[in-house]
Amino acid sequence: MKKSILSQRLGFSLLTACTAAVVGFLAIILWDIVTKGAGSVTWKFLTDAPRDGMTQGGIMPAIVGTFFATTITTVLALPLGCCVAIYLNEYAKDTAITRLIRVTIRNLAGVPSIVYGLFGVVLFVQGLRLGTSILSAGLTLGLLTLPWTITASEEALKTVPASYREGAFALGATKWQAIYTNVLPYAFGGILTGAILGIARAAGETAPILFTGAAFYLPFLPRSVFDQFMALPYHLYILSTQHHQIEKVRPLAYGTALVLLGLVLGMNLIAVIIRYKIRKNTKAV
Amino acid sequence: MDSQDKISVRNLNFYYGQVRRVTNVTIDIKANQVIGIIGPSGCGKSTFLRTLNRMNDLILGARVEGMVLLDGEDIYDPEVDVVDVRRRVGMVFQKSNPFPKSIYENVAYGLRIGGVREKDFIAERVEKSLRDAALWEEVKDRLDDNAMRLSGGQQQRLCIARALAIEPEVLLMDEPASALDPTATLKVEELIQELKKKYTIIIVTHNMQQAARISDFTAFFMLGELVEFDETKQMFTKPQKKITEEYITGRFG
């Protein structure tokens, strides 16, 4: 066989093998969690509080807690990230300072989440005296999500053709009018999907909420944003590593993992659907 | 300059960074005329056109010297509102750029951002603009369709209708037919003849036959300078300068 054909086949096989390995790992993880967790996920599991030292009952408070914390995350990260992106992409001139800001934002995305957690303690729990609460935890997760939201929003704004802005200006639009009426509507889908992906990631984080509001065990639902709360990822961490009867609660841990996985996948699915719908509506035919 | 002049440009220089793209242009443009701007690629004709409604303001590092008088008032005067200038001097771009909205909303856009709220008024003006742009008969039954579904020629006429809707006094056109097929081009050219009854039209074109067909006056640009400006008939039969003749007869360009 000719050498070029051989190297071609070799390269192709290598790439296929890499892809297969990645898909394989994902499949193994999913298989493991689904087969071992499916048995635990019943209606009662989803709607009951943990009982008998977390060896019985369900994970309702953790689901509700994660839901509330994530809502606060969204309320902080989506509008703020969107505004920062509009400023950077539409208003800021290309100077050394704005370039530094951009680099900083991208680097923030790489900061370990435990650092965000400790920062949240200093800023929200102690500094702003919000205590260990859903609010502190949600805001900390919001900070963690911001770099993603900003970057995704900026990318979305960049995909809007310059001719839309130019066309609006030529008709006597002010800068803000052009952005508001002729840029944002077409970037909104991208902004929203980016934000959802970031928030979905935040929903699965443990380290940032560890010191800022997540509770070890609270068999009732939070009554205000200043209450502590149970969260799915933290509950999972406890069930699988900190519990005194680890073997006994293993099915519950798998069930929790499955619910968390379903939640994150569900959010990603919503993002995909929104992106698809908006693409369909604004695509140049 | 006399009172008939719609636009008078005085010693206009345009710089992009350190580079001078338009050099010392002085020109008087009368109302209700079609002025064709011709010249080889990169001669600054589009750049010049865009100084007339301050679209170059959007370019970072751009600088303008000299005056552009619109009805005797300098549009670069710091007191003048650029939004007002652009509403009086409309523009149609080389590449048709309909917004991905409905046909109706495309035409209504300029009115809406100008603060017009009366529905009847908007509907009336949309129809009138589409009629003036010779597009009404083709789209009247599907005004809610997305403008992106129109053909290339229809899209460009929609952009013209959109510009007309806010009733500008001057219409700038930057090679409006360069991306169109001959039939669509002919339609746009016929349209320009109609439109000059109401508007002053300044049109950049790389097509010399087109300039000869549609314009009353022709300006020939080269290397950022206005080489010659005269009645089209004169220009295409007896140009004053040798280089104009060489360009017109296709010896370079």
Side-chain angles (χ1 to χ4, degrees):
Chain A
M1 207 179 330
K2 265 170 80 182
K3 205 180 161 196
S4 61
I5 295 177
L6 190 70
S7 68
Q8 150 93 353
R9 291 221 172 132
L10 207 71
F12 183 68
S13 316
L14 194 69
L15 295 176
T16 312
C18 289
T19 311
V22 170
V23 174
F25 281 129
L26 194 66
I28 291 168
I29 294 171
L30 275 175
W31 176 253
D32 188 52
I33 292 176
V34 171
T35 49
K36 293 182 183 161
S40 321
V41 183
T42 58
W43 181 246
K44 195 165 176 300
F45 182 72
L46 293 174
T47 54
D48 203 0
R51 279 182 285 108
D52 299 338
M54 291 190 277
T55 57
Q56 298 290 322
I59 53 167
M60 170 81 159
I63 296 175
V64 173
T66 290
F67 175 76
F68 280 146
T70 314
T71 306
I72 291 169
T73 304
T74 313
V75 169
L76 175 74
L78 185 56
L80 200 59
C82 192
C83 291
V84 172
I86 292 173
Y87 173 76
L88 283 177
N89 196 55
E90 308 289 333
Y91 287 96
K93 293 190 172 116
D94 188 25
T95 61
I97 295 172
T98 54
R99 259 173 273 158
L100 185 69
I101 292 174
R102 275 205 180 82
V103 170
T104 311
I105 289 169
R106 277 170 182 62
N107 278 328
L108 275 179
V111 171
S113 53
I114 185 69
V115 177
Y116 278 100
L118 295 171
F119 180 74
V121 172
V122 176
L123 180 63
F124 299 123
V125 178
Q126 295 171 349
L128 298 175
R129 299 182 183 283
L130 300 175
T132 47
S133 60
I134 298 185
L135 191 57
S136 296
L139 293 176
T140 307
L141 288 175
L143 290 186
L144 176 92
T145 318
L146 263 181
W148 267 273
T149 320
I150 295 169
T151 310
S153 303
E154 240 195 302
E155 293 306 319
L157 289 171
K158 279 200 176 75
T159 61
V160 179
S163 64
Y164 293 4
R165 296 176 180 84
E166 214 174 35
F169 290 138
L171 292 167
T174 60
K175 185 135 192 168
W176 173 242
Q177 279 178 326
I179 293 170
Y180 184 72
T181 60
N182 228 12
V183 175
L184 275 185
Y186 311 119
F188 193 65
I191 292 174
L192 208 58
T193 38
I196 292 174
L197 292 177
I199 289 159
R201 183 181 168 268
E205 282 287 348
T206 314
I209 58 174
L210 198 56
F211 312 120
T212 53
F216 180 75
Y217 178 52
L218 279 178
F220 46 81
L221 300 180
R223 278 172 303 245
S224 85
V225 292
F226 295 107
D227 281 350
Q228 291 199 345
F229 67 108
M230 289 186 77
L232 285 170
Y234 187 47
H235 187 59
L236 175 59
Y237 165 69
I238 287 163
L239 287 184
S240 44
T241 64
Q242 306 294 302
H243 202 273
H244 60 283
Q245 285 174 296
I246 283 188
E247 288 308 320
K248 198 179 170 190
V249 296
R250 182 78 8 125
L252 293 181
Y254 269 107
T256 309
L258 184 57
V259 171
L260 182 58
L261 201 68
L263 196 79
V264 172
L265 286 183
M267 286 173 87
N268 286 2
L269 191 67
I270 291 172
V272 170
I273 293 171
I274 292 175
R275 190 193 301 243
Y276 175 76
K277 285 218 160 143
I278 293 199
R279 280 240 178 101
K280 220 168 83 179
N281 286 341
T282 55
K283 198 170 65 175
V285 185
Chain B
M1 172 187 167
D2 61 52
S3 59
Q4 272 186 312
D5 292 333
K6 189 69 193 170
I7 292 182
S8 297
V9 178
R10 288 285 170 274
N11 304 318
L12 187 84
N13 286 289
F14 177 81
Y15 299 86
Y16 179 62
Q18 295 301 310
V19 190
R20 183 152 69 167
R21 302 288 280 275
V22 174
T23 305
N24 218 15
V25 170
T26 293
I27 193 170
D28 289 320
I29 292 164
K30 289 186 178 13
N32 300 94
Q33 301 282 354
V34 177
I35 287 81
I37 300 181
I38 58 170
S41 302
C43 69
K45 54 192 192 299
S46 286
T47 308
F48 171 70
L49 192 75
R50 294 163 73 97
T51 59
L52 302 181
N53 68 340
R54 291 182 57 176
M55 282 305 279
N56 287 328
D57 287 18
L58 304 169
I59 303 170
L60 225 64
R63 190 160 54 86
V64 171
E65 281 171 5
M67 288 196 289
V68 175
L69 304 171
L70 178 62
D71 287 334
E73 192 188 11
D74 185 10
I75 64 169
Y76 284 96
D77 188 301
E79 301 276 293
V80 168
D81 183 4
V82 63
V83 165
D84 190 48
V85 170
R86 295 195 188 129
R87 294 184 81 83
R88 291 176 63 192
V89 184
M91 184 160 210
V92 176
F93 296 86
Q94 176 173 7
K95 194 166 170 287
S96 62
N97 60 342
F99 306 141
K101 306 174 191 291
S102 71
I103 293 169
Y104 185 92
E105 283 307 318
N106 260 279
V107 184
Y109 184 85
L111 297 170
R112 292 201 198 279
I113 57 166
V116 179
R117 290 282 169 273
E118 298 87 342
K119 276 189 178 162
D120 296 344
F121 179 82
I122 294 177
E124 219 169 274
R125 187 64 73 75
V126 168
E127 178 176 341
K128 184 169 175 292
S129 309
L130 284 169
R131 279 190 194 283
D132 284 351
L135 189 61
W136 175 254
E137 290 302 324
E138 290 160 61
V139 299
K140 63 181 176 187
D141 299 321
R142 47 177 183 135
L143 292 172
D144 291 329
D145 273 14
N146 195 311
M148 296 297 194
R149 291 223 188 98
L150 296 172
S151 73
Q154 289 173 326
Q155 286 190 6
Q156 193 58 299
R157 276 179 285 146
L158 179 70
C159 291
I160 294 172
R162 192 173 69 188
L164 298 181
I166 53 173
E167 298 197 322
E169 299 155 33
V170 180
L171 198 56
L172 309 177
M173 300 178 126
D174 191 355
E175 302 192 25
S178 67
L180 304 182
D181 64 50
T183 320
T185 302
L186 187 67
K187 273 200 169 150
V188 170
E189 286 183 7
E190 285 169 0
L191 178 58
I192 289 169
Q193 293 310 313
E194 273 305 304
L195 292 176
K196 79 170 192 184
K197 292 171 190 161
K198 291 188 210 162
Y199 307 91
T200 306
I201 296 172
I202 305 172
I203 174 170
V204 164
T205 174
H206 60 238
N207 179 331
M208 249 138 358
Q209 286 74 35
Q210 186 173 62
R213 279 196 301 269
I214 62 175
S215 65
D216 303 304
F217 284 82
T218 300
F220 172 52
F221 273 72
M222 232 184 96
L223 302 172
E225 286 183 62
L226 176 61
V227 176
E228 195 167 341
F229 176 56
D230 209 334
E231 280 190 53
T232 302
K233 250 182 268 165
Q234 181 72 24
M235 188 99 147
F236 278 85
T237 50
K238 269 183 269 163
Q240 304 283 315
K241 295 190 176 146
K242 193 159 185 302
I243 188 148
T244 312
E245 190 187 343
E246 282 178 1
Y247 181 72
I248 287 172
T249 52
R251 245 168 280 170
F252 73 97

